Amino acid sequence: MKTHSTPSLGLLRPWLKTRPGRLLAVATTLLTLGMPQAQASSHSDAPLIKQDPQVNLTDVYAFVRQRPSGEKVLVVEVSVRPFSEPGDGVIYDRFADDALYCIHIAHPVTGVTIQRYNFRFSDMNPVKGPSLKNPDTILSYGRGTEVGPILNVGDARQNYTQTYTISRNVGERVTTLGRNLMVPPPNVGARTTPAYNDAETGRAISGATSRETLDSYTQETTYDLPSGVTVFAGPREDGFYADTAGIFDLLDSRILDNTGSLADGLGQDGNGVDGFKGFNVLHYGIVIPLSQLPSIAYTGALQPAATGVGVFASVRRPQAILYPSRTSSSAFVQVNRLGNPLFNEVLVSLGSKDLYNRTLPNTDKSTFARFAENPEVAVLINTVFGTGFATTGRADLRAVYIPDVIRVNTTTGPVRVAGDEGYSRLSFIGGDTIADGNGNMIPSGWPNGRRFGDDVVDIALTAVASGPTFETITVVGDNIPSNDQVYNRTFPYAATPHAGTRNEKDSMRIWKAATD
Amino acid sequence: MNEPPYPTSLVLLASVTAVGLITWSIINPVTPAQAAVEQPAPAVVLEVKTLMEMLGPSGPVSKTDRLLVEAEQMTLKRPQKAASWIQLGDALAQKQRETQAPSWYAQAEQAYQKAWQIEPQNTEALNGLAWVYGGRHDFKESVRWAKLALEVDPTHPISHGIIGDAAVELGDFERAYESYQAMMDARPDLSAYSRGAYLVWLSGDSRKARWLMQQAIDAGGPHAENTAWCHTRLAMMLFHEGALLPAAQAVEKALRETPDHAPLLLMQGKIKVAMDDEAGAIAAYQAVLTQEENHEALVGMGDLHLLRGRKQEAEAFFQRVEKLHLSNAKQGIHDHTQMARFYADHDRELEKALTFAEEHAQTQNVYEADTLAWALYQKGEFLRARKAIEIALRAGTPDAEIYYHAGLIAAAIKDRSGAKKLLARALSLNPRFHPLHSGKAVKALDELAQPLATTE
């Protein structure tokens, strides 16, 4: 059996299974700085959600694109279930059947939800049909009523097929937009799910530029619904990248204790290691025509007066009524939410992390604004590096994070995506800007929306170091400038999931694919 | 105040020169002037008159010029003192650094030779000579002199630095780390920080490299030009990260201190092109060209014209590049790797490009290997190109051009998924890495996005 452990993975091991959200490591490190070592592990980010990977949201992406027809749309994609090991997909890559996965279109100023799209999935562990064709085999994929590679999603060789229903809430009104939509199989490997993979190397192929060039499983499960929205839910490659180990290193006590002898700072193996390399996630996403969205004025970060929407994601679980005398409830209770990258992970302090997940953005102003305005992370960086980054009065960070919805300016044309000419992972810092409806140049990527490949770690830390004036932009970041898989340039933009048998835990080494 | 155990000026000089060499080779893959091969100069003592002639009609204008004249007068007053000659050598070396003109090497060599003859155990004389040979890329001689200095003083930072410089140029990173570490342990200063920063950057750790370079800038040097180099390199690192705005800010700030610093201006030109600021780029390149003909400025101007479809204007600049090359060759300066890169980049004289690049067929140097691979690719020798690019990629140097070349080579040998990743990596590092080639990288990536083969 092929094992996937590498030295870099070893470093991640302590929190491999318990990652509650992006940059737990950073948060933990930053926030426990100076605390006794023994306490560090218990001071995790949002302790409750980490025990619940299936409903653990990790990233929300939202950006403006255009359909081949010319219709402008908002793309929203959400990642959940971090660190999905490709080889485990056969058994575990399933959405929770008791949870409601939501995408919120919110007021960009108040954070109040205006529209909500709900994904509800079918039975995770059925013992009989219709989701399971053959209960008398150990295989979920490759043997249903027939044995062999899966040719089409849900065919006789795909034993287990999860399906979902999508609905939309506008106020009290609920509309079902689609039923019995299929989730494509995980990328088991070249023999079971050949359409995902390169026939020669057995590795996932990605980078499609149009619907037609997507792998056939993804094509078949990308649904254009009568209401005008397009949806997809299924396994994808984790599009987030960061050198978590390197960030640990940045705040290493050897640097802290540096007494002027740089012997400490040199000679280490300093190459960045993408802690998320080789892992998959589950993913749900929607494409909504701009004509179906509200258009609301707000003041965006690093841009003049703007018009657009706010976006965030949440997961809910059904409420259970314990009193015997009362009737059962159909209500759901929110267990996780996510808007901008790194907010709950890096800015919100330990005591409030679980509270964040239980509340909605409309209360952020009163509850969480202080974390954005007075970023403790700047205090810590100052302590470590002797820098003088502004630690209070950060109106710039408040404009990005409060309320914590990703604000997308919908007056722009379609933004560049990774692979397009002029796209920069650093967004405006790298000169990647786009004209808004008034002809002003604004960031193409985060903090105006967020695209796949936006290097949010570098952008966020750079912003912390450079704001509120940005007169001198101090670049702070990790050493990971790219994802380990090439993104698609069409919906779903997230890359093809890694294959269970052959994946990308290896390095960037070229020719590896050809010679391995 | 205690005297430092060795004159700070030499330490800085040697370092910044080495830094200069290296930086130059990054901004511009190859060192133009430093690779000079010169005739041994007659062993005469420099006369003030000669010196004044060398300084040109305007005479001693800069601070360095004045230092030079002072040092020269000191050798006339105290010709029996080794220190006098060392002071002169150091001033000449700084002059070389500022002008990039190889003729100063011979002068500096003579001065250091003189000092060495008076005091054979003088480490500054030994290191001075080591520096001169290193500047000429005669690394064997350079290391030999540096080792002689280490026999006298085993911890001398400059000797370690020079040995490290040679190792970097030869692509022997292990030895380079050892030497630079020894230097750092002996004396952390601008020269040690900036050397370390570059090595760390070459090895792929951009974050630590930038931090170290900032340390170098904060530590400062006796000549404004020393710090300007460090600013240039910091901007170079930011540029390669695709952080265009911060790179532009870094250059602008440094130009306020040293407005004529050619490497800074060249860097500015490069950044402005990437930011679509044509007028700004032209201004920067022209500012260099008013000082002297400069390979990088000429190529930059030509590329800018080419980018806007003005082929004739571009051609005029490219012909000036070739003319400059010929005139350099006449003076015994070989800028072959640089020319190989120029030809390969512009798809011209590919035979020559390959001949030049193959002068370093066995190289372990990242940029020489990259140039060789690129020339081989352009000539259609894909398998050999692959071998060469593997060497260029080995250290993980975060330079988009290397990944771009590697991506094209991978595509040529039908490694489609490798090619896609390498090209995506290039564009992710810095999507505007080259005025002419970043667009081609995008195109190549598009072409690789073909429909997937379905199962039979």
Side-chain angles (χ1 to χ4, degrees):
Chain A
M1 195 182 137
K2 191 170 172 168
T3 61
H4 293 294
S5 43
T6 63
S8 64
L9 205 58
L11 288 171
L12 294 165
R13 201 59 81 186
W15 45 283
L16 189 63
K17 289 189 177 139
T18 55
R19 177 174 160 253
R22 289 302 175 214
L23 286 203
L24 156 65
V26 189
T28 311
T29 318
L30 293 178
L31 295 165
T32 55
L33 208 69
M35 292 180 185
Q37 198 58 42
Q39 285 190 19
S41 65
S42 65
H43 284 76
S44 303
D45 168 13
L48 292 176
I49 194 66
K50 75 178 183 182
Q51 298 158 14
D52 222 349
Q54 235 69 1
V55 295
N56 185 357
L57 301 174
T58 65
D59 290 275
V60 179
Y61 303 87
F63 48 95
V64 173
R65 289 290 277 175
Q66 191 168 3
R67 284 183 165 145
S69 66
E71 184 178 31
K72 282 211 302 181
V73 292
L74 177 73
V75 177
V76 182
E77 295 188 38
V78 184
S79 295
V80 60
R81 196 175 189 281
F83 290 122
S84 297
E85 154 64 39
D88 261 3
V90 191
I91 302 163
Y92 297 110
D93 263 6
R94 294 171 190 183
F95 290 92
D97 48 20
D98 63 337
L100 196 63
Y101 294 87
C102 303
I103 287 171
H104 300 249
I105 302 298
H107 193 293
V109 181
T110 63
V112 172
T113 298
I114 298 166
Q115 298 177 5
R116 198 181 78 210
Y117 294 86
N118 316 292
F119 293 69
R120 187 90 203 258
F121 293 88
S122 68
D123 203 343
M124 264 178 101
N125 297 300
V127 289
K128 58 179 179 6
S131 313
L132 192 71
K133 296 186 179 74
N134 178 2
D136 302 320
T137 164
I138 57 164
L139 295 180
S140 295
Y141 310 99
R143 183 182 177 193
T145 51
E146 274 178 36
V147 178
I150 296 169
L151 302 179
N152 295 101
V153 177
D155 70 10
R157 291 137 177 219
Q158 183 171 351
N159 193 17
Y160 172 76
T161 311
Q162 192 167 34
T163 60
Y164 64 99
T165 300
I166 173 156
S167 62
R168 176 174 58 205
N169 282 48
V170 181
E172 296 296 303
R173 204 175 77 238
V174 186
T175 318
T176 300
L177 304 177
R179 284 179 198 284
N180 287 320
L181 308 174
M182 286 187 292
V183 174
N187 188 351
V188 182
R191 293 159 66 87
T192 308
T193 49
Y196 279 134
N197 302 305
D198 185 305
E200 241 171 73
T201 63
R203 288 165 192 273
I205 315 186
S206 200
T209 51
S210 63
R211 178 84 64 90
E212 296 69 41
T213 54
L214 279 170
D215 68 90
S216 59
Y217 308 137
T218 306
Q219 269 187 61
E220 287 168 27
T221 50
T222 301
Y223 295 99
D224 295 316
L225 300 177
S227 60
V229 301
T230 303
V231 292
F232 171 86
R236 294 280 101 184
E237 187 267 345
D238 189 344
F240 183 77
Y241 55 91
D243 180 2
T244 33
I247 293 166
F248 270 114
D249 184 44
L250 185 81
L251 294 167
D252 193 292
S253 63
R254 282 175 301 182
I255 293 176
L256 266 177
D257 293 341
N258 200 309
T259 48
S261 150
L262 267 183
D264 295 342
L266 280 181
Q268 301 171 38
D269 173 21
N271 288 318
V273 176
D274 179 1
F276 306 93
K277 182 163 76 179
F279 289 106
N280 291 330
V281 286
L282 286 174
H283 206 75
Y284 62 100
I286 189 163
V287 178
I288 312 167
L290 290 190
S291 57
Q292 298 187 16
L293 292 174
S295 187
I296 301 161
Y298 66 97
T299 308
L302 301 158
Q303 50 180 308
T307 311
V309 293
V311 176
F312 72 99
S314 71
V315 185
R316 300 157 170 236
R317 278 238 169 79
Q319 184 187 35
I321 302 295
L322 301 178
Y323 297 107
S325 56
R326 300 198 188 158
T327 51
S328 67
S329 158
S330 61
F332 280 84
V333 178
Q334 179 181 307
V335 291
N336 193 205
R337 72 154 153 138
L338 188 65
N340 284 289
L342 313 176
F343 184 60
N344 199 27
E345 292 81 352
V346 175
L347 293 177
V348 176
S349 73
L350 300 172
S352 302
K353 284 177 187 296
D354 281 322
L355 177 66
Y356 172 91
N357 279 336
R358 294 201 301 272
T359 54
L360 283 164
N362 57 9
T363 60
D364 285 353
K365 209 185 260 181
S366 53
T367 320
F368 296 110
R370 62 195 166 101
F371 295 116
E373 284 170 349
N374 312 305
E376 191 192 8
V377 63
V379 177
L380 294 168
I381 295 176
N382 285 346
T383 312
V384 176
F385 290 108
T387 45
F389 303 147
T391 56
T392 54
R394 296 299 299 265
D396 57 322
L397 297 179
R398 186 191 164 109
V400 172
Y401 285 111
I402 302 299
D404 186 23
V405 298
I406 300 180
R407 274 163 281 274
V408 189
N409 188 320
T410 50
T411 65
T412 67
V415 296
R416 299 176 192 95
V417 294
D420 286 351
E421 190 160 6
Y423 170 90
S424 169
R425 75 191 154 88
L426 295 176
S427 182
F428 68 100
I429 299 168
D432 186 359
T433 54
I434 188 165
D436 69 4
N438 299 318
N440 299 308
M441 298 311 285
I442 64 168
S444 299
W446 195 64
N448 171 34
R450 177 186 175 187
R451 304 168 297 178
F452 284 89
D454 278 349
D455 198 334
V456 293
V457 172
D458 286 20
I459 299 172
L461 292 179
T462 298
V464 166
S466 311
T469 64
F470 289 87
E471 269 162 24
T472 300
I473 300 180
T474 305
V475 177
V476 182
D478 55 5
N479 268 322
I480 298 296
S482 64
N483 190 31
D484 56 316
Q485 179 62 285
V486 183
Y487 302 109
N488 287 316
R489 285 152 75 181
T490 187
F491 183 78
Y493 291 83
T496 310
H498 292 301
T501 44
R502 292 258 172 127
N503 51 61
E504 303 301 323
K505 296 224 178 61
D506 58 342
S507 67
M508 265 298 293
R509 254 172 227 295
I510 97 171
W511 328 127
K512 176 103 181 166
T515 54
D516 192 359
Chain B
M1 213 176 106
N2 287 334
E3 281 288 315
Y6 41 84
T8 322
S9 60
L10 178 59
V11 180
L12 289 163
L13 268 176
S15 86
V16 286
T17 304
V19 169
L21 270 177
I22 299 161
T23 311
W24 206 260
S25 63
I26 287 309
I27 299 170
N28 230 338
V30 201
T31 323
Q34 286 89 347
V37 177
E38 284 168 284
Q39 306 304 313
V44 291
V45 175
L46 264 182
E47 300 288 343
V48 172
K49 201 179 71 188
T50 332
L51 184 62
M52 296 305 271
E53 273 167 19
M54 286 188 72
L55 289 176
S58 44
V61 284
S62 69
K63 180 181 156 197
T64 309
D65 292 347
R66 285 195 296 277
L67 279 178
L68 203 49
V69 173
E70 272 168 35
E72 174 70 11
Q73 281 160 352
M74 190 56 80
T75 59
L76 293 174
K77 230 192 279 177
R78 296 186 186 151
Q80 293 317 309
K81 286 270 185 201
S84 310
W85 294 102
I86 284 162
Q87 195 186 339
L88 179 61
D90 290 357
L92 286 161
Q94 176 62 26
K95 190 67 190 165
Q96 192 287 324
R97 242 199 79 63
E98 287 173 16
T99 59
Q100 303 282 320
S103 49
W104 296 102
Y105 280 127
Q107 308 293 341
E109 183 184 11
Q110 283 178 59
Y112 291 132
Q113 278 278 2
K114 228 25 208 176
W116 177 62
Q117 279 157 14
I118 297 165
E119 280 181 33
Q121 299 288 297
N122 187 311
T123 49
E124 283 136 73
L126 293 167
N127 284 326
L129 288 164
W131 172 83
V132 167
Y133 285 106
R136 291 171 173 159
H137 279 203
D138 184 348
F139 298 122
K140 219 173 144 189
E141 270 300 282
S142 170
V143 170
R144 193 176 71 83
W145 284 104
K147 282 189 171 161
L148 285 176
L150 284 181
E151 277 174 23
V152 181
D153 176 359
T155 61
H156 204 303
I158 269 302
S159 319
H160 287 296
I162 288 173
I163 293 171
D165 296 345
V168 167
E169 287 292 319
L170 297 170
D172 182 354
F173 284 10
E174 212 163 301
R175 152 106 19 126
Y177 269 108
E178 236 168 65
S179 302
Y180 284 174
Q181 189 64 61
M183 183 187 199
M184 192 77 81
D185 293 346
R187 189 173 202 281
D189 58 10
L190 178 141
S191 32
Y193 289 133
S194 57
R195 277 185 162 93
Y198 181 64
L199 179 58
V200 164
W201 183 82
L202 273 182
S203 321
D205 191 344
S206 189
R207 174 178 53 76
K208 192 191 275 175
R210 278 192 283 103
W211 177 67
L212 281 166
M213 195 55 82
Q214 192 59 53
Q215 297 287 115
I217 291 167
D218 294 348
H223 301 275
E225 181 269 349
N226 304 162
T227 337
W229 262 118
C230 298
H231 278 293
T232 311
R233 310 193 78 196
L234 184 62
M236 174 277 288
M237 290 169 184
L238 289 165
F239 175 81
H240 281 303
E241 262 182 73
L244 299 182
L245 288 189
Q249 284 184 341
V251 166
E252 271 153 34
K253 230 174 271 170
L255 277 173
R256 266 178 245 153
E257 302 290 320
T258 45
D260 298 328
H261 191 64
L264 264 178
L265 288 165
L266 292 170
M267 197 64 232
Q268 190 183 38
K270 207 168 169 154
I271 296 165
K272 295 274 184 193
V273 174
M275 295 176 84
D276 286 329
D277 177 359
E278 186 178 346
I282 290 175
Y285 288 138
Q286 288 294 6
V288 175
L289 292 173
T290 51
Q291 295 175 30
E292 56 170 1
E293 287 288 271
N294 174 291
H295 177 96
E296 207 189 336
L298 292 171
V299 174
M301 287 293 287
D303 284 352
L304 206 53
H305 284 299
L306 217 50
L307 193 63
R308 305 281 184 231
R310 299 185 291 258
K311 281 192 183 155
Q312 276 188 327
E313 286 91 332
E315 187 54 33
F317 279 103
F318 293 156
Q319 281 177 11
R320 276 166 75 182
V321 171
E322 288 179 318
K323 220 174 117 193
L324 175 66
H325 170 63
L326 287 178
S327 108
N328 279 347
K330 263 185 213 146
Q331 294 178 48
I333 305 164
H334 71 84
D335 44 10
H336 288 177
T337 309
Q338 191 175 45
M339 279 310 279
R341 173 65 70 115
F342 165 70
Y343 286 139
D345 273 347
H346 298 86
D347 219 345
R348 59 200 274 159
E349 304 274 10
L350 293 178
E351 284 291 343
K352 253 192 218 170
L354 189 52
T355 313
F356 285 161
E358 278 181 329
E359 286 172 16
H360 301 286
Q362 302 304 316
T363 188
Q364 300 297 307
N365 174 304
V366 169
Y367 283 97
E368 286 171 0
D370 180 37
T371 304
L372 177 62
W374 185 218
L376 284 164
Y377 168 83
Q378 292 287 54
K379 281 289 287 169
E381 295 199 32
F382 302 136
L383 289 176
R384 282 186 64 205
R386 164 184 164 165
K387 260 203 152 116
I389 204 73
E390 275 177 344
I391 291 167
L393 283 171
R394 202 170 39 196
T397 308
D399 181 333
E401 268 184 82
I402 302 174
Y403 286 97
Y404 165 64
H405 298 155
L408 293 186
I409 293 165
I413 59 166
K414 308 271 184 275
D415 175 5
R416 292 168 60 88
S417 65
K420 264 203 253 187
K421 261 184 224 171
L422 289 160
L423 290 168
R425 171 89 168 190
L427 289 167
S428 191
L429 275 168
N430 181 4
R432 292 152 186 263
F433 62 84
H434 192 283
L436 305 177
H437 289 287
S438 24
K440 290 182 184 170
V442 171
K443 230 184 196 167
L445 196 55
D446 280 351
E447 279 163 17
L448 287 163
Q450 300 279 328
L452 300 178
T454 43
T455 1
E456 275 86 63

